[in-house]
Amino acid sequence: MIETTRLTDGWVLRTTIPADDAPDGAAAWRLPASVPSVVHTVLLDHGLIPDPYAGQNEDTQHWIGRSEWEYATTFEHDGARHRPTELGFEGLDTVAVIRLNGVDLAHTFNQHRSYTVDITDHVKAGINTLALIFKDVRAHAELVRAEAGEQPNENPEPFQYVRKSACNFGWDWGPNLVTAGPWKPVSIRRYTTARFQSVRPSITTRVKPAQVGTTPTHGSARVEVNVDLLRAPGIHSGLPIELALTVGVNGTTRTVPIIPDSISATVVLELDEVELWWPHDLGAQPLSRLAVSLQMGHQTLDTWSKDVGFRDFELKTDRDENGTAFVFAVNGIDIFVKGANWIPDDCFPSRITEDRLRERISQAIGANMNLLRVWGGGVYESDDFYDLCDRMGILVWQDFLFACAGYPEDGLLYDEVAGEVRDNVVRLMSHPSLVIWNGNNECIWGYEDWNWKAQLDGRGWGWRYYAELLPDLIAGLDPTRPYWPGSPYSGNPELHPNDPQHGTVHIWDVWNQEDYLDYAQWNARFVSEFGFQGPPNWSTLARTLEPADLDLDAPAFLNHQKAQDGTTKLQRGLAAHLPDPADFVDWHFLTQVNQARAVRFGIEHFRAGSPVCAGSIVWQLNDCWPVTSWAAVDGYGQLKPLWYAIRDAYRPRLATVQQRGSELVVVLVNDTADPWRGTLSLELISTDAATDVTAQRLKVMASHLYDFDVEARATADISLPNDVGRSDFPLTEVLVIRGEGIGPGDRILHFHAEDKDRLTEPARVAASAVKTHDGVAVTVTAHTVVRDLVLQADRMDPGATVSEQCISLLPGESHTFRVTTSTIEQDAEELERWTLHPVLQGVGLTASGIHAHEG
């Protein structure tokens, strides 16, 4: 049996070659450390650097990534060599020397690979010293650049010349905090005779037909397990060694003998009856333990086990009258992908816990998402991430790690890519949640549209990876799972890679140049990136910046806006729709609301285009630090108003008002397995001007009732007659649509004018708060039309959660925000604060517009 010991404690960190701008005395540091970690986290633990996420501290810490560092520890060994001894490194970041007892045994050049070093002939009896020396990764990347030639890259950092997380060098939402260290576990292990080198389970599921109108629940499966063995060199030489491989799952077990001296074996199991695994919005997530063991007689030499699920997945890319489809089918059912892009949840992944990942994935599920795309500029995520997606029913789209640049195709880098892909495909292929491998992020698009061709002058830029190496490796290692060359990509190198009629598209002209209403011009087959920026929640800003830095021109605030001309683009997007902000508080609220509106508009348009459009993957779910960005969940885990807008736009049944030519239509989208039947009430309502003492009066100008019947997983359009679909008085008229299940509160509102034009006087509401068993309930009653009411509960308690956000009310309507918080006090003054500006905000609502409920 294998004996494994993790080398977690007892490490000492020091800098062997400090950068020129390192702090005085850094060369003398000898810092106790644990593993996994990186240099930044050790320095933080010892109080030697301030929080790099606060203020402008990022700019003072570049010396860390430009220094050389050593992690060192000791371990004991009995000196016996009859059993091989190995060091296992699950992840080294990045250019490292592995040194044992003063002898260099290996050099590593890839953050994304695992490494095994046989130390049998180098270990000694007694105390052994292990040192890991982490070199300046930029210096290594510059050497590769000099040898391979210049490759296109908008980022001045040389990230494409080294196999390391690209966003670690800074991105348009992330800081430049170049890390180094053993970011995954280090262990010492000993084995007898032989061990597994790799275990590759390939599962093919055949879905059993279900009754008409029901979702299938069972199928049969073929489980093929391929193993590669490492035999102990020179041990038992000349003696016959009879090894056997046993595989078991769901009560079915098979043992096969391994051919003498063979280093591979295969076992196939046929399962007649299995429960189907589904994404959470379609069914259950049953998992079964797949156990594999290597035996020599009655002795077990090695074991491997993972939870697996049984599901069929097909990527449909047929040509049709609209172009080239890109449709996900799970267990024979075509689905609309409602997803988000995922980036590393921290700049220092070694401190991301399973609980933190569970919280993020729960937030994705809470927003009605069914897929996360692991983006190609980050890392292959931890085992915990994929395990949680398996258990919680989130589909995973996995990018290979190439992003937004040209990559050298030859030499050391090519070999490193091949090794990295083998490692991670084998590590991840057992997960039922993982449904697609994707070659890169925006590299094919960049080659076509970003002026790369002249710079390259015929040199390779990465196509060899995406068109040859990656698909060949996938076909050999993981043949049951589809591969797609890139995102965006049209499925054919003869087509433009970002052609909306074919395959996948990224929509970034909206954020960069156009108004968000231009999403309506994109009739795409599958949108794998789009998004709009907004600042983090207020408590996140307050935790990150000093009060004086809560200013659009403050250098510290601008350091937390990494997008090119980001503040200007936010202002341009705001000016088209909302009134000018009065101050920073107002700007913060309005830009968060505008972000929510923009993304909601895009999602609803794409879903209304179903089945031609088959997916929407928002950029992005999460942040790695506190920053103004496209995320729905900010860098400290706070739910921005965008999260609530996505939750509503991704609801299983959706009613949305869309412009089709010269007319308005209501599109009903039914993503459920059951027909959707009901009645729509449509009213064009006019509001009189408000007075100081009475609420606005409402007058019904026209009304209609429509019965509807939408089939399961289908859409239906209802054209609106002119008397409700058009308005002669757009500043004062509102279209009100009511119907069971069509939206929050069973009604949606459509305004015929932008708020910047519609608001001629401040909004007015009455508000009150009462204590509840788990927090507080804040009830707001509108005296005028008020749009996008937001309760910024995190101003009162950063740990508070709110039931809804972005609530719009007509005069006389009320809504109760339910807040979960543990810090609410009982006294009336504390309760009243929940009803006051700026905790309670709405478009056109000022402090003087909020009044207490009478009685």
Side-chain angles (χ1 to χ4, degrees):
M1 195 68 178
I2 292 183
E3 297 176 3
T4 301
T5 303
R6 282 203 171 172
L7 302 179
T8 302
D9 301 315
W11 293 84
V12 174
L13 174 68
R14 69 186 182 100
T15 176
T16 50
I17 305 178
D20 291 342
D21 55 343
D24 293 340
W29 292 345
R30 301 293 184 270
L31 307 175
S34 60
V35 169
S37 65
V38 292
V39 172
H40 286 79
T41 59
V42 177
L43 298 182
L44 281 166
D45 289 344
H46 288 276
L48 293 170
I49 58 172
D51 181 358
Y53 293 176
Q56 295 176 268
N57 292 338
E58 171 203 353
D59 293 338
T60 69
Q61 297 181 13
H62 297 311
W63 67 272
I64 298 171
R66 297 188 182 279
S67 299
E68 181 177 291
W69 297 90
E70 178 194 81
Y71 276 77
T73 191
T74 60
F75 62 89
E76 289 193 58
H77 194 274
D78 59 15
R81 299 188 178 184
H82 64 283
R83 297 170 62 203
T85 303
E86 299 173 329
L87 288 170
F89 303 92
E90 295 184 31
L92 298 174
D93 178 11
T94 292
V95 180
V97 178
I98 299 170
R99 182 176 295 161
L100 182 64
N101 298 326
V103 178
D104 293 352
L105 300 184
H107 294 74
T108 74
F109 304 95
N110 195 325
Q111 178 185 7
H112 311 301
R113 293 186 68 176
S114 59
Y115 296 92
T116 297
V117 180
D118 190 318
I119 61 171
T120 307
D121 295 332
H122 302 278
V123 74
K124 64 183 182 180
I127 301 298
N128 291 262
T129 300
L130 171 64
L132 306 175
I133 296 88
F134 293 91
K135 303 285 189 177
D136 178 352
V137 70
R138 288 187 182 90
H140 171 79
E142 292 296 352
L143 289 174
V144 175
R145 188 209 301 253
E147 180 179 338
E150 191 72 26
Q151 288 283 337
N153 181 3
E154 296 300 314
N155 188 328
E157 293 278 10
F159 67 77
Q160 74 266 51
Y161 302 102
V162 62
R163 298 308 297 161
K164 176 176 170 62
S165 171
C167 64
N168 198 224
F169 294 89
W171 215 257
D172 56 4
W173 38 257
N176 188 323
L177 294 169
V178 176
T179 53
W183 70 294
K184 290 186 176 183
V186 175
S187 60
I188 183 169
R189 59 178 176 247
R190 305 179 76 175
Y191 68 97
T192 301
T193 308
R195 67 168 178 84
F196 291 136
Q197 194 161 34
S198 68
V199 179
R200 292 180 286 115
S202 293
I203 299 175
T204 304
T205 303
R206 300 170 291 273
V207 177
K208 293 185 177 181
Q211 293 182 351
V212 176
T214 65
T215 301
T217 58
H218 288 77
S220 59
R222 181 181 189 271
V223 179
E224 178 180 315
V225 177
N226 296 279
V227 302
D228 295 318
L229 303 177
L230 183 66
R231 292 178 179 266
I235 296 179
H236 304 298
S237 178
L239 297 178
I241 300 175
E242 295 183 358
L243 302 180
L245 182 66
T246 298
V247 176
V249 64
N250 274 12
T252 299
T253 301
R254 185 182 176 197
T255 300
V256 300
I258 298 175
I259 297 172
D261 297 326
S262 175
I263 57 171
S264 63
T266 300
V267 173
V268 175
L269 300 179
E270 293 288 349
L271 307 179
D272 294 332
E273 186 78 6
V274 296
E275 291 184 81
L276 297 179
W277 184 97
W278 290 95
H280 70 92
D281 54 339
L282 294 179
Q285 297 78 49
L287 298 172
S288 301
R289 197 68 173 175
L290 175 62
V292 184
S293 61
L294 178 66
Q295 286 107 16
M296 184 175 65
H298 297 293
Q299 181 182 4
T300 298
L301 301 180
D302 200 356
T303 61
W304 177 100
S305 64
K306 289 285 183 72
D307 286 335
V308 298
F310 301 99
R311 56 105 184 105
D312 177 62
F313 179 79
E314 181 183 2
L315 177 64
K316 296 182 176 181
T317 58
D318 301 327
R319 292 295 295 263
D320 57 28
E321 66 274 13
N322 297 298
T324 305
F326 196 87
V327 178
F328 285 22
V330 181
N331 296 326
I333 294 177
D334 294 353
I335 68 169
F336 188 95
V337 169
K338 295 175 282 193
N341 285 270
W342 172 275
I343 66 170
D345 203 55
D346 199 309
C347 296
F348 312 123
S350 59
R351 64 184 186 182
I352 300 174
T353 64
E354 181 180 356
D355 286 345
R356 180 162 159 183
L357 291 171
R358 183 181 293 105
E359 179 183 27
R360 291 294 169 274
I361 295 169
S362 296
Q363 289 165 334
I365 291 171
N368 293 313
M369 296 176 185
N370 57 18
L371 177 140
L372 292 174
R373 174 192 171 212
V374 181
W375 169 74
V379 297
Y380 303 96
E381 282 296 330
S382 67
D383 293 339
D384 287 341
F385 174 87
Y386 303 95
D387 287 342
L388 288 165
C389 290
D390 291 345
R391 297 200 295 268
M392 299 171 73
I394 282 285
L395 301 174
V396 176
W397 160 325
Q398 178 66 57
D399 278 11
F400 289 108
L401 301 186
F402 302 89
C404 304
Y407 286 80
E409 295 179 340
D410 304 300
L412 174 65
L413 204 67
Y414 184 90
D415 295 337
E416 286 295 338
V417 169
E420 161 193 324
V421 170
R422 289 189 191 97
D423 280 1
N424 287 284
V425 169
V426 169
R427 178 171 70 92
L428 301 179
M429 63 185 290
S430 65
H431 292 281
S433 58
L434 176 58
V435 293
I436 185 171
W437 298 105
N438 177 64
N440 71 86
N441 175 77
E442 296 187 352
C443 297
I444 302 173
W445 185 22
Y447 177 75
E448 187 63 33
D449 275 1
W450 299 351
N451 301 314
W452 289 10
K453 296 177 182 179
Q455 180 180 341
L456 288 164
D457 193 25
R459 287 181 291 112
W461 50 276
W463 179 250
R464 184 184 176 198
Y465 297 128
Y466 320 133
E468 298 176 14
L469 178 66
L470 299 181
D472 288 349
L473 288 172
I474 293 298
L477 295 170
D478 190 20
T480 66
R481 195 169 272 113
Y483 168 80
W484 190 251
S487 183
Y489 187 61
S490 297
N492 186 330
E494 301 301 317
L495 297 171
H496 190 280
N498 206 38
D499 186 334
Q501 292 184 309
H502 302 277
T504 59
V505 298
H506 290 190
I507 301 176
W508 286 116
D509 62 336
V510 168
W511 160 250
N512 285 308
Q513 293 101 25
E514 312 296 344
D515 183 71
Y516 70 71
L517 297 179
D518 277 30
Y519 282 131
Q521 307 304 314
W522 286 81
N523 297 310
R525 305 308 302 265
F526 192 106
V527 184
S528 47
E529 275 191 26
F530 74 104
F532 209 88
Q533 268 203 353
N537 280 11
W538 189 266
S539 63
T540 296
L541 284 177
R543 178 176 169 182
T544 305
L545 302 174
E546 297 295 330
D549 293 325
L550 298 176
D551 183 298
L552 293 181
D553 297 321
F557 175 79
L558 293 173
N559 193 58
H560 292 260
Q561 163 61 278
K562 298 295 186 180
Q564 185 177 15
D565 298 325
T567 302
T568 300
K569 293 172 183 177
L570 281 170
Q571 186 56 40
R572 186 198 68 234
L574 201 63
H577 302 280
L578 290 159
D580 290 336
D583 52 25
F584 184 84
V585 170
D586 207 23
W587 176 90
H588 174 263
F589 162 71
L590 290 172
T591 49
Q592 281 202 327
V593 164
N594 204 49
Q595 178 188 34
R597 288 186 183 182
V599 174
R600 182 204 299 266
F601 182 88
I603 291 174
E604 291 190 2
H605 170 69
F606 303 140
R607 291 189 69 190
S610 173
V612 174
C613 181
S616 154
I617 307 181
V618 175
W619 187 271
Q620 66 216 58
L621 175 68
N622 59 325
D623 265 327
C624 63
W625 79 315
V627 64
T628 297
S629 82
W630 297 265
V633 180
D634 75 22
Y636 289 137
Q638 296 280 332
L639 302 179
K640 294 162 66 171
L642 171 60
W643 182 89
Y644 296 86
I646 293 172
R647 182 182 67 178
D648 290 341
Y650 275 161
R651 58 193 295 123
R653 289 174 169 172
L654 172 74
T656 175
V657 178
Q658 298 287 314
Q659 189 81 38
R660 297 281 170 84
S662 61
E663 67 175 5
L664 286 182
V665 299
V666 177
V667 182
L668 299 172
V669 182
N670 180 17
D671 277 350
T672 74
D674 300 313
W676 184 19
R677 301 182 180 95
T679 300
L680 282 187
S681 164
L682 291 85
E683 294 180 330
L684 185 67
I685 290 179
S686 176
T687 60
D688 289 330
T691 70
D692 289 338
V693 294
T694 63
Q696 282 182 334
R697 296 186 298 274
L698 301 179
K699 181 179 180 181
V700 178
M701 308 301 293
S703 65
H704 294 274
L705 293 176
Y706 288 94
D707 294 329
F708 64 86
D709 186 345
V710 188
E711 295 180 2
R713 302 186 179 93
T715 62
D717 292 3
I718 298 176
S719 296
L720 301 187
N722 287 340
D723 59 353
V724 292
R726 296 181 181 176
S727 173
D728 295 328
F729 302 96
L731 298 183
T732 57
E733 291 182 337
V734 183
L735 174 62
V736 184
I737 305 172
R738 294 185 174 89
E740 185 177 355
I742 69 168
D746 292 334
R747 71 109 167 93
I748 58 175
L749 304 178
H750 177 77
F751 291 84
H752 292 280
E754 298 293 349
D755 287 344
K756 67 182 180 65
D757 303 316
R758 187 184 59 79
L759 286 169
T760 58
E761 58 184 29
R764 292 188 296 109
V765 302
S768 61
V770 296
K771 185 79 173 68
T772 65
H773 73 282
D774 59 355
V776 62
V778 179
T779 299
V780 182
T781 301
H783 291 172
T784 64
V785 173
V786 58
R787 294 191 67 186
D788 288 312
L789 283 166
V790 169
L791 190 71
Q792 293 190 359
D794 66 298
R795 285 177 173 267
M796 300 288 288
D797 169 21
T801 57
V802 188
S803 54
E804 298 90 21
Q805 299 282 33
C806 297
I807 298 297
S808 297
L809 298 177
L810 297 173
E813 290 184 334
S814 297
H815 179 80
T816 298
F817 296 92
R818 302 195 179 278
V819 182
T820 301
T821 174
S822 59
T823 62
I824 183 71
E825 301 293 338
Q826 297 284 349
D827 61 85
E829 182 179 349
E830 184 73 13
L831 280 172
E832 184 185 18
R833 289 181 58 202
W834 289 89
T835 70
L836 302 178
H837 189 276
V839 175
L840 177 63
Q841 299 193 55
V843 176
L845 184 64
T846 63
S848 61
I850 304 174
H851 306 277
H853 272 125
E854 294 184 3

